[in-house]
């Protein structure tokens, strides 16, 4: 026994080795806030102190050793048997001296800085480390969004994949104990509900299991998810879902692949018929776990009594906390009956052979109720001569010692009372073979649950006998032939109204093959994956299972050219050392041609020997050009520019028109955050120029001389970093444009980020059924959602400009007619159909047209105003840095990875 003293008086621990007959006091040099004992070694413990220090003891608290200072509260874990090599390994989240947070591991008694390990390379978000079963989770801030990483069985961390636009505000790991991860995610547009996601076995790819699961705020202010995993039957869950301003209870037998409402009892306690017809009326259950571990809570199941569920609930159109009663199922939720009209706490005795019920502790009682036939009949017994407020019940485990201990108080001023009950006497004998019966698990008559026909051995209701030690619950489990309901939609796919899984609007299945290396294999998904732990065989398994295919030939990924000293300027005649980087796995399969831009070019078939770099001496001033994958990396030796910053630039956004007229001057603007006064140098790459235009102003004017798609890139030199943004502009002789609006349901799913606007624009292009090269769609920031559709002339202009203009007019009329008849629509997600409307027809800005404010220019101006307001609000109270130092910065060629933009998305 270990007892901690009150820290207000002294910091000590009292230890007894003789069941409390005597105690030895040991002084502590710290105040203990929490203790964590090792799951296997009973003398090993971790202690967390009031000053955020973590200590370890291997002799049951007699001696303590400091492990680490500045550890996050409740973010330390003992090793997991079978996964961690050392049984005394400690996982923890620790703070660095500069205020960052890292994931650290070390041994409990040997944790010096020299032998600490850092499994994740980089900093993590505070209070994000979770070590549970086969998984380790951490969270990292990326571009203002939370990004989650998982390590499965101590393998390297991999970024988890939620559906693209889940955009979590909050994420909790619900469970990890069935070879997959349940995660509750509160998304950007949710307040009091969470979405439930299920992962694959490795915990990487998550798919939606249920939307809008209700939460309940506990006494301590914590939000608890209304989700309950039924003990004893794998894959069975009950959840409360908010739908159309109502909360209803649903049940699943295949881990969230399918859900249905609960059938209400056919009759009430008095035998009167209950007319409750699905889906208008059903049974609803309260799913809160008790914050008092000695009370049963509103729902109870036990793995030792499979199929028995006892819960508080109501019958009606939705979940209610008024006029509630107690309900029970003996067949795993297929049928229900009412057992009490008032709320009770219910405990399982002798592996479900008997049930004990006591009224809620709000009123004192002298009686308890016992049932031997799974709640059909109840017998009343007195357990106290004086009514007792029951604060809790302890039920002793084991087959030989059947003891129940009631504890409570006679009044609010009295001391606690303990009443021990030996319920062994209620059983007259031990159970024999005649006292058992078989029970087939099923779902509304369907015998295959999680791919198996499962037969259980249960005690016959009413048999007043005690189970023996050799009692076995599962009699047999026979695999079923695989059918469609054994498979859920794979990552990136959604179940449509016809029951088939099809790609979500944001998912391109072909991108999976592009992410693997040449010479390797990948699994080409069919759109389905088998429910984890489902045991079905044959049938449609081969048709639905992903197929192994060889990775297609593709250019290398992660191609990057740098210099050894980090600069891309050089003096004539000096030796320049270049470093070529490729993602691991690509370097052995790639031929690279390096063009130095001065007439010298070298080809390499194997980059493994180039770790020391590639040396070259420039004898004449010229731009450096490096071409691969149609990409270009270029710079001008000798270009430097003064940069004077009052604080770091954190973001750059390029604002450009989407479509412009050839030979007509346009303004291009770069917005930087924060925007308070500073001297900044801008490097502009316009058209096909390899040399940048350098300005101290964030705006330039430019005239595009040729038609086509032109890339504009701006770089901003900022302290020790360079920020970049890139936009594509379509240059044409003339064009037509239409302003588009959408049915209001689209706004509910608009997170107002560039990627979403790009994907929606791609969907609009697809449903308009117009040649792709002649159509551009720009979805604008903000709400309500609006877009501009650009109709471009055909590339072949040999037939004359006038005829092309006439063709555009005809196509415009056709599209307008379809829009006005509500013929243009798309399915954003299952059950969410969005109609596209024509808002306004704008005049075609021709080469000889008078200057006018086009719709795209006006919306761009509005986005500038909006962005400026956001800058003011975000950075108004930020403190500026110290005095401006004299700095020099070299221009760096455009990188293929540009910064995130909040402007309109051009498709």
């Amino acid at each position: 026994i270990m007892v901690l003293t009150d820290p207000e008086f002294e910091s000590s621990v009292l230890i007894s080795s003789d069941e409390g007959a005597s105690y030895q006091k040991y002084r502590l040099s710290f105040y203990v806030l929490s203790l964590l004992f090792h799951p296997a070694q009973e003398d090993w413990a971790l202690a967390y102190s009031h000053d955020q220090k973590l200590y370890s003891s291997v002799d049951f608290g007699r001696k303590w050793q400091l492990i680490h200072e500045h550890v996050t509260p409740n973010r330390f874990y003992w090793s997991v048997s079978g996964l961690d090599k050392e049984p005394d390994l400690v996982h923890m989240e620790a703070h660095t001296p500069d205020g960052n947070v890292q994931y650290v591991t070390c041994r409990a008694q040997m944790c010096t800085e020299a032998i600490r390990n850092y499994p994740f390379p980089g900093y993590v978000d505070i209070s994000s480390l979770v070590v549970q079963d086969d998984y380790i989770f951490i969270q990292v801030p990326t571009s203002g969004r939370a990004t989650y990483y998982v390590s499965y069985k101590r393998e390297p961390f991999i970024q988890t994949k939620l559906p693209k636009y889940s955009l979590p505000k909050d994420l909790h790991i619900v469970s990890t104990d069935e070879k997959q991860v349940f995660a509750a995610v509160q998304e950007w547009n949710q307040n009091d509900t969470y979405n439930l996601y299920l992962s694959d076995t490795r915990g990487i790819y998550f798919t939606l299991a249920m939307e809008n699961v209700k939460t309940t705020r506990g006494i301590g202010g914590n939000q608890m998810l209304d989700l309950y995993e039924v003990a004893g039957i794998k894959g069975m869950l009950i959840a409360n879902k908010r739908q159309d301003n109502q909360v209803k209870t649903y049940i699943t037998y295949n881990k969230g692949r399918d859900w249905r409402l609960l059938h209400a009892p056919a009759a009430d306690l008095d035998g009167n018929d209950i007319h409750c017809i699905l889906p208008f009326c059903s049974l609803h259950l309260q799913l809160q776990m008790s914050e008092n571990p000695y009370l049963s809570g509103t729902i109870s199941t036990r793995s030792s009594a499979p199929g028995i569920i006892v819960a508080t609930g109501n019958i009606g159109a939705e979940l209610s906390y008024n006029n509630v009663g107690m309900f029970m199922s003996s067949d795993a939720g297929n049928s229900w009956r009412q057992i009490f009209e008032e709320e009770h706490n219910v405990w399982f005795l002798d592996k479900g052979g008997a049930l004990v019920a006591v009224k809620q502790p709000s009123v004192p009682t002298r009686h308890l109720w016992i049932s031997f036939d799974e709640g059909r009949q109840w017998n009343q017994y007195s357990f106290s001569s004086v009514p007792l407020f029951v604060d809790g019940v302890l039920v002793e485990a084991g087959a030989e010692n059947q003891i129940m201990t009631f504890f409570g108080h006679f009044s609010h001023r009295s001391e606690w009372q303990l009443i021990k009950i030996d319920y062994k006497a209620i059983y007259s004998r031990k159970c024999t073979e005649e006292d058992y019966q078989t029970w087939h698990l099923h779902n509304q008559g369907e015998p295959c649950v999680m791919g198996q026909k499962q037969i259980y051995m249960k005690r016959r209701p009413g048999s007043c006998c005690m189970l023996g030690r050799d009692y076995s619950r599962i009699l047999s489990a026979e695999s079923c032939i695989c059918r469609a309901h054994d498979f859920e939609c794979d990552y990136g796919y959604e179940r449509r109204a016809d029951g088939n899984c099809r790609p979500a609007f944001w998912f391109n299945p072909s991108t999976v093959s592009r992410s693997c290396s040449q010479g390797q294999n990948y699994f080409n998904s069919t759109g389905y994956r088998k429910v984890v732990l489902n045991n079905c065989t044959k049938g449609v398994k081969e048709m639905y299972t992903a197929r192994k295919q060889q990775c297609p030939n593709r250019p290398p990924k992660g191609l990057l050219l740098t210099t050894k000293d980090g600069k891309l300027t050089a003096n004539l005649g000096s030796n320049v050392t270049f470093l070529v980087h490729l993602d691991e796995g690509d370097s052995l399969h790639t031929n690279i041609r390096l063009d130095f831009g001065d007439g010298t070019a070298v080809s390499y078939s194997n980059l493994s020997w180039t770790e020391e770099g590639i040396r070259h001496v420039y004898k004449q001033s010229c731009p450096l050009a490096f071409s691969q994958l149609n990409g270009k990396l270029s710079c001008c030796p000798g270009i430097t520019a003064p940069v004077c910053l009052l604080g770091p630039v954190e973001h750059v956004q390029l604002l450009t028109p989407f479509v412009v007229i050839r030979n007509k001057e346009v303004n291009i603007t770069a917005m930087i955050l924060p925007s308070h006064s500073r001297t900044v140098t801008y490097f502009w790459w316009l058209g096909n120029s390899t040399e940048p235009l350098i300005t101290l102003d964030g705006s330039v004017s430019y005239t595009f001389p040729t038609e086509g798609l032109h890339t504009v890139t701006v770089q901003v030199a900022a302290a020790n970093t360079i920020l970049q943004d890139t936009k594509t502009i379509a240059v044409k002789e003339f064009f037509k444009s239409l302003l588009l609006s959408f049915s209001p349901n689209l706004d509910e799913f608009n997170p107002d980020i560039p990627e979403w606007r790009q994907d929606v624009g791609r969907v609009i292009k697809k449903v308009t059924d117009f040649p792709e090269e002649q159509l551009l769609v720009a979805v604008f920031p903000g709400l309500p959602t609006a877009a501009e559709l650009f109709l471009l002339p055909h590339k072949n202009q040999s037939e004359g400009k006038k005829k092309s203009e006439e063709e555009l007019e005809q196509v415009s009329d056709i599209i307008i007619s379809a829009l006005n008849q509500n013929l243009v629509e798309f399915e954003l997600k299952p059950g969410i159909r969005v109609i596209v409307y024509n808002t306004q027809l704008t005049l075609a800005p021709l080469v000889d047209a008078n200057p006018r404010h086009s719709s795209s220019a006006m919306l761009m101006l509005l986005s500038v105003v909006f962005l400026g307001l956001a800058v003011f609000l975000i950075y108004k109270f930020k403190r500026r840095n110290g005095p401006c130092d004299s700095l020099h910065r070299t221009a760096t060629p455009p990188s293929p990875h540009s910064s995130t933009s909040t402007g309109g998305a051009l498709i």
Side-chain angles (χ1 to χ4, degrees):
I1 300 174
M2 178 184 292
V3 180
L4 298 176
T5 59
D6 188 337
E8 292 187 5
F9 296 94
E10 63 174 302
S11 183
S12 299
V13 60
L14 305 176
I15 297 175
S16 171
S17 300
D18 52 11
E19 299 185 358
S22 63
Y23 285 89
Q24 184 76 33
K25 179 186 287 188
Y26 297 88
R27 294 280 185 178
L28 300 177
S29 61
F30 57 93
Y31 296 107
V32 178
L33 285 184
S34 61
L35 287 169
L36 180 66
F37 285 90
H38 193 279
Q41 301 291 334
E42 61 182 19
D43 286 342
W44 294 5
L46 300 177
Y48 187 74
S49 71
H50 67 291
D51 54 356
Q52 296 188 326
K53 294 179 180 179
L54 187 65
Y55 297 84
S56 68
S57 173
V58 293
D59 57 1
F60 201 67
R62 293 171 176 84
K63 294 179 182 178
W64 295 91
Q65 182 168 328
L66 178 66
I67 297 180
H68 204 298
E69 299 181 347
H70 306 298
V71 176
T72 305
N74 301 317
R75 298 296 167 176
F76 48 89
Y77 308 85
W78 278 111
S79 65
V80 177
S81 177
L83 293 176
D84 294 308
K85 294 180 180 179
E86 298 90 3
D88 62 341
L89 190 72
V90 179
H91 305 262
M92 56 191 150
E93 188 182 283
H95 297 245
T96 62
D98 57 359
N100 291 307
V101 182
Q102 290 178 300
Y103 166 33
V104 184
T105 62
C106 64
R107 302 185 70 172
Q109 297 288 297
M110 295 181 292
C111 196
T112 61
E113 180 62 40
I115 57 177
R116 289 172 184 163
N117 292 314
Y118 300 87
F120 183 79
Y123 300 128
V124 304
D125 279 348
I126 190 171
S127 297
S128 68
L129 175 66
V130 175
V131 180
Q132 199 165 296
D133 295 321
D134 292 344
Y135 308 91
I136 300 176
F137 301 90
I138 55 98
Q139 175 182 322
V140 176
T142 305
S143 301
R145 302 181 197 166
T147 305
Y148 301 89
Y149 288 82
V150 61
S151 168
Y152 175 64
K153 290 189 174 181
R154 305 305 186 259
E155 295 174 358
F157 279 91
I158 298 177
Q159 183 177 342
T160 61
K161 298 291 186 180
L162 288 165
K164 189 173 182 179
Y165 297 113
S166 65
L167 304 180
K169 294 189 298 185
D170 190 25
L171 182 146
H172 293 283
I173 304 301
V174 177
S175 69
T176 56
D177 57 352
E178 289 191 339
K179 302 300 180 183
Q180 73 176 155
V181 181
F182 277 79
V185 177
Q186 187 170 59
E187 306 193 11
W188 62 274
N189 56 352
Q190 292 179 306
N191 292 317
D192 59 347
T193 61
Y194 280 72
N195 288 351
L196 180 65
Y197 288 91
L198 289 169
S199 76
D200 59 345
T201 300
R202 299 181 65 201
I204 299 172
Y205 292 98
F206 285 80
T207 57
L208 184 65
M210 174 174 274
E211 289 185 296
N212 296 318
V213 179
K214 175 183 172 294
T215 59
T216 303
R217 191 167 296 278
I219 298 176
N222 297 323
Q223 281 192 316
M224 295 181 291
L225 196 69
D226 274 23
L227 174 73
Y228 185 81
E229 294 186 65
V230 177
I233 301 177
K234 65 180 181 181
M236 184 175 172
L237 299 100
I238 304 175
N240 284 330
K241 177 180 179 179
R242 186 178 299 280
Q243 186 175 1
D244 299 328
N245 295 320
Q246 290 184 325
V247 176
K248 298 175 181 288
T249 300
Y250 290 82
I251 191 169
T252 179
Y253 294 83
N254 52 9
K255 280 198 163 185
R257 193 310 194 168
D258 301 292
W259 297 85
R260 64 169 174 82
L261 296 167
L262 299 180
H263 286 275
D268 60 18
L269 280 176
D270 298 326
N272 300 316
D273 291 341
I274 299 177
H275 301 285
C276 185
I277 302 175
L278 294 174
F280 311 103
C281 174
S282 59
L283 175 65
H284 309 284
L285 305 179
Q286 299 177 24
L287 303 177
Q288 290 83 47
M289 300 294 291
S290 174
E291 296 189 10
N292 179 350
Y294 306 111
L295 296 177
S296 65
T298 59
I299 184 168
S300 296
T301 59
R302 292 290 182 273
S303 58
S304 59
I308 299 179
I309 309 172
V310 182
T312 303
N314 68 284
I315 298 171
E318 62 177 327
L319 178 68
S320 173
Y321 294 90
N322 300 318
N323 300 319
V324 299
M326 297 296 296
F327 298 87
M328 182 171 175
S329 175
S330 298
D331 56 2
N334 284 284
S335 63
W336 295 83
R337 58 184 176 275
Q338 188 172 1
I339 56 175
F340 294 110
E341 290 183 342
E342 298 175 290
E343 294 183 66
H344 284 66
N345 284 286
V346 179
W347 292 272
F348 291 70
L349 301 183
D350 192 37
K351 301 177 181 177
L355 301 173
V356 173
V358 177
K359 280 188 178 182
Q360 289 281 17
S362 56
V363 294
T365 182
R366 295 187 299 117
H367 303 290
L368 58 81
W369 299 85
I370 296 182
S371 173
F372 298 99
D373 57 1
E374 298 180 349
R376 293 173 178 82
Q377 293 183 342
W378 294 87
N379 299 315
Q380 187 184 67
Y381 295 89
S382 295
F383 67 89
S384 173
S385 58
V386 180
L388 181 75
F389 289 93
V390 178
D391 293 317
V393 175
L394 291 82
V395 180
E396 297 288 343
E400 299 300 323
N401 184 24
Q402 284 76 29
I403 301 293
M404 292 180 66
T405 303
F406 284 72
F407 66 91
H409 50 278
F410 294 133
S411 70
H412 294 293
R413 295 183 179 180
S414 68
E415 297 178 346
W416 272 1
Q417 309 293 321
L418 293 176
I419 300 175
K420 302 186 78 171
I421 301 174
D422 186 347
Y423 61 87
K424 192 173 184 179
I426 65 177
Y427 297 110
S428 59
R429 57 188 175 82
K430 285 194 174 183
C431 294
T432 62
E433 189 173 341
E434 289 76 21
D435 295 308
Y436 295 100
Q437 67 179 18
T438 57
W439 171 65
H440 296 247
L441 174 65
H442 66 95
N443 173 17
Q444 298 293 285
E446 169 55 57
C448 291
V449 176
M450 291 293 285
Q452 283 185 326
K453 295 179 181 178
Q454 302 175 51
I455 301 176
Y456 291 79
M457 185 73 76
K458 294 180 63 174
R459 182 170 19 199
R460 292 183 184 276
S463 291
C464 189
C465 62
M466 185 177 297
L467 296 175
R469 287 179 179 270
D470 57 347
Y471 170 67
S472 178
R473 300 189 305 276
I474 299 181
L475 187 63
S476 68
E478 176 188 348
S479 294
C480 298
I481 298 298
C482 288
R483 291 181 288 173
H485 64 247
D486 296 307
F487 292 81
E488 61 191 2
C489 291
D490 203 352
Y491 174 79
Y493 293 82
E494 296 173 330
R495 192 172 303 280
R496 302 296 175 170
D498 59 3
N500 294 319
C501 296
R502 292 192 175 90
F505 80 96
W506 49 264
F507 184 68
N508 183 3
S510 64
T511 59
V512 179
S513 64
R514 294 203 298 264
S515 65
C516 65
S517 299
Q518 184 177 346
Q520 297 179 346
N521 296 317
Y522 76 101
F523 285 96
N524 187 12
S525 176
T526 62
Y528 301 84
R529 69 183 188 192
K530 193 164 80 165
V531 175
V532 175
L533 293 186
N534 185 292
N535 292 293
C536 72
T537 60
K538 301 180 181 178
V540 299
K541 182 177 180 180
E542 184 176 350
M543 181 175 67
Y544 281 171
T545 302
R547 299 171 180 85
K548 182 183 287 189
Q549 295 186 0
Q550 191 169 12
C551 295
N553 294 332
R554 61 171 185 81
K557 60 182 178 181
L559 186 60
L560 180 65
L561 178 71
T562 61
T563 58
K564 197 165 187 178
D565 59 4
K567 298 179 180 178
L568 285 179
T569 60
N571 297 321
L572 293 180
S574 64
N575 199 337
V576 181
T577 302
F578 294 95
L579 301 177
V580 181
H581 304 270
L582 280 174
D583 279 1
E584 185 177 356
D586 281 340
S587 60
L588 298 180
H589 307 284
T590 304
N591 296 322
I592 298 294
R593 177 179 172 83
L594 183 60
D595 187 345
F596 293 98
D598 59 355
T600 304
V602 184
S603 297
Y604 300 95
S605 59
N606 190 330
L607 293 179
S608 61
W609 60 271
T610 61
E611 294 180 0
E612 295 300 320
I614 303 168
R615 292 182 176 88
H616 183 72
V617 177
Y618 280 95
K619 297 181 179 179
Q620 58 179 337
S621 179
C622 59
L624 166 71
F626 171 65
S627 298
Q628 177 72 27
L629 292 174
N630 297 323
K632 182 173 288 185
L633 206 60
S634 60
C635 77
C636 298
I639 294 179
T640 60
V643 181
C644 180
L645 301 179
L646 292 178
V649 175
E650 299 178 6
H651 182 76
V652 59
Q653 179 192 350
L654 192 58
L655 301 176
T656 67
F658 303 114
V659 185
V660 300
I661 301 300
R662 185 178 69 88
N663 288 328
K664 192 169 185 178
E665 189 176 71
V666 294
N667 289 325
I668 301 171
T669 302
M671 298 288 294
I672 60 173
L673 301 178
S675 62
H676 50 79
S677 178
R678 69 186 65 236
T679 302
V680 175
T681 303
Y682 299 83
F683 301 89
W684 306 86
W685 278 267
L686 304 169
N688 296 319
S689 174
T690 60
E691 298 187 8
L693 171 67
I694 305 174
T695 70
L696 297 178
D697 186 13
S699 182
V700 296
S701 296
Y702 188 75
T703 301
F704 292 91
T706 59
E707 284 192 287
L709 293 177
H710 292 258
T711 298
V712 175
T713 298
V714 65
Q715 287 185 349
V716 178
N720 295 323
T721 61
I722 288 183
L723 300 182
Q724 170 181 311
D725 194 15
T726 299
K727 285 287 188 299
T728 299
I729 300 177
V731 180
K732 293 292 179 180
E733 291 283 350
F734 54 90
F735 62 88
K736 301 279 293 181
S737 70
L738 302 173
L739 283 181
L740 305 178
S741 59
F742 306 89
S743 50
N745 56 351
L746 181 60
D747 291 343
E748 300 175 19
F749 303 94
N750 183 354
D752 201 17
I753 59 175
E755 302 98 300
W756 187 88
R757 296 194 285 270
Q758 291 168 3
D759 286 330
V760 170
R762 193 174 295 113
V763 172
I764 298 170
K765 283 183 65 175
K766 186 176 180 180
V767 299
T768 51
D769 196 23
F770 191 66
E772 190 165 327
E773 68 274 6
Q774 293 181 255
L775 192 67
L776 290 175
V777 177
V779 180
F780 298 109
L783 294 173
T785 310
E788 189 165 10
L789 185 148
F790 298 93
L791 301 173
L792 308 180
H794 197 273
K795 290 182 180 179
N796 183 7
Q797 297 292 331
S798 60
E799 297 178 351
K801 175 182 174 183
K802 185 174 182 180
K803 186 173 182 180
S804 295
E805 289 183 18
E806 292 174 352
E807 289 178 353
L808 277 192
E809 290 287 354
Q810 294 174 1
V811 171
S812 175
D813 291 341
I814 293 172
I815 293 180
I816 291 173
S817 175
L819 292 169
N820 290 338
Q821 297 179 63
N822 296 340
L823 298 179
V824 181
E825 63 175 12
F826 59 92
E827 192 170 21
L828 187 72
K829 57 189 301 185
I832 308 297
R833 298 206 68 84
V834 178
I835 301 175
V836 186
Y837 303 100
N838 172 38
T839 303
Q840 176 187 348
L841 174 65
T842 60
L843 293 175
L846 304 177
V847 174
D848 56 353
N850 293 325
R852 61 173 64 87
H853 295 292
S854 70
S855 57
S856 59
M858 183 61 68
L859 283 166
M860 188 180 80
L861 177 62
L862 291 175
S863 66
V864 171
V865 175
F866 176 78
L867 187 63
L869 180 61
V871 169
F872 174 76
L873 293 175
I874 294 173
Y875 294 98
K876 178 180 178 182
F877 302 106
K878 278 205 169 185
R879 186 178 61 187
R880 295 187 178 184
N881 289 347
C884 176
D885 298 326
S886 178
L887 300 174
H888 283 78
R889 188 67 181 166
T890 59
T892 305
S895 161
H897 304 289
S898 60
S899 62
T900 302
S901 167
T902 57
L906 176 64
I907 305 300

